[in-house]
C-alpha cells in the first residue's frame, strides 16, 4: 500500500507544480491576476470531477492570490458543485471578459 500512497503524493505534487509554472510566467506574482483554466473534468467528454487534476491546480492558483475563471464544455454542473470561489461563465469565450 505504501507505493500507492507515494504515487498519489507525487501526482499531487506535479499538479501543484503546474501552478508554480504559471506563477513563474508572471514573475512569481499572481495576486490580483485572473487565470483562465480550460478543461475541468477528470477526462475529456465527461463531467467526472473525481480526482480531477484541475482541482489542486485551481486551489494552488487561488492560494497564490489568483482569481480563477474556468470552463469545461461538458463538466460545468459538476464543477460548480466542487469548485469554490471560481467564476464559471456560460461559454468559453467569456473567460477573457471581465
Amino acid at each position: 500500500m505504501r507505493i500507492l500512497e507515494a504515487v498519489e503524493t507525487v501526482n499531487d505534487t506535479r499538479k501543484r507544480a503546474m501552478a508554480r509554472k504559471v506563477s513563474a510566467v508572471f514573475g512569481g506574482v499572481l495576486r490580483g491576476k485572473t487565470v483562465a483554466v480550460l478543461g475541468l473534468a477528470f477526462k475529456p467528454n465527461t463531467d467526472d470531477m473525481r480526482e480531477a487534476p484541475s482541482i489542486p491546480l485551481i486551489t494552488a492558483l487561488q492560494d497564490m492570490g489568483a482569481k480563477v475563471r474556468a470552463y469545461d464544455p461538458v463538466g460545468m454542473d459538476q464543477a460548480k458543485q466542487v469548485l469554490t470561489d471560481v467564476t464559471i461563465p456560460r461559454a468559453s469565450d467569456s473567460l477573457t471578459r471581465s
Side-chain angles (χ1 to χ4, degrees):
M1 190 65 162
R2 282 191 163 148
I3 194 156
L4 293 177
E5 292 169 355
V7 168
E8 283 183 18
T9 299
V10 169
N11 285 344
D12 285 343
T13 300
R14 295 305 312 145
K15 294 168 192 171
R16 293 186 71 82
M18 181 56 68
R20 289 191 296 277
K21 288 181 180 184
V22 172
S23 178
V25 169
F26 293 99
V29 180
L30 288 180
R31 188 153 312 282
K33 303 263 191 296
T34 301
V35 178
V37 177
L38 299 171
L40 304 174
F42 176 72
K43 62 182 182 175
N45 301 314
T46 72
D47 65 353
D48 187 356
M49 291 296 294
R50 293 173 297 157
E51 304 296 324
S54 63
I55 297 170
L57 169 62
I58 289 170
T59 301
L61 292 168
Q62 291 172 325
D63 289 348
M64 294 178 198
K67 297 175 186 172
V68 177
R69 296 174 66 84
Y71 181 78
D72 187 294
V74 179
M76 298 302 285
D77 290 335
Q78 291 299 317
K80 288 177 188 175
Q81 294 176 25
V82 175
L83 301 172
T84 57
D85 298 321
V86 175
T87 301
I88 300 178
R90 293 183 185 185
S92 62
D93 62 350
S94 300
L95 287 172
T96 57
R97 297 184 193 140
S98 311

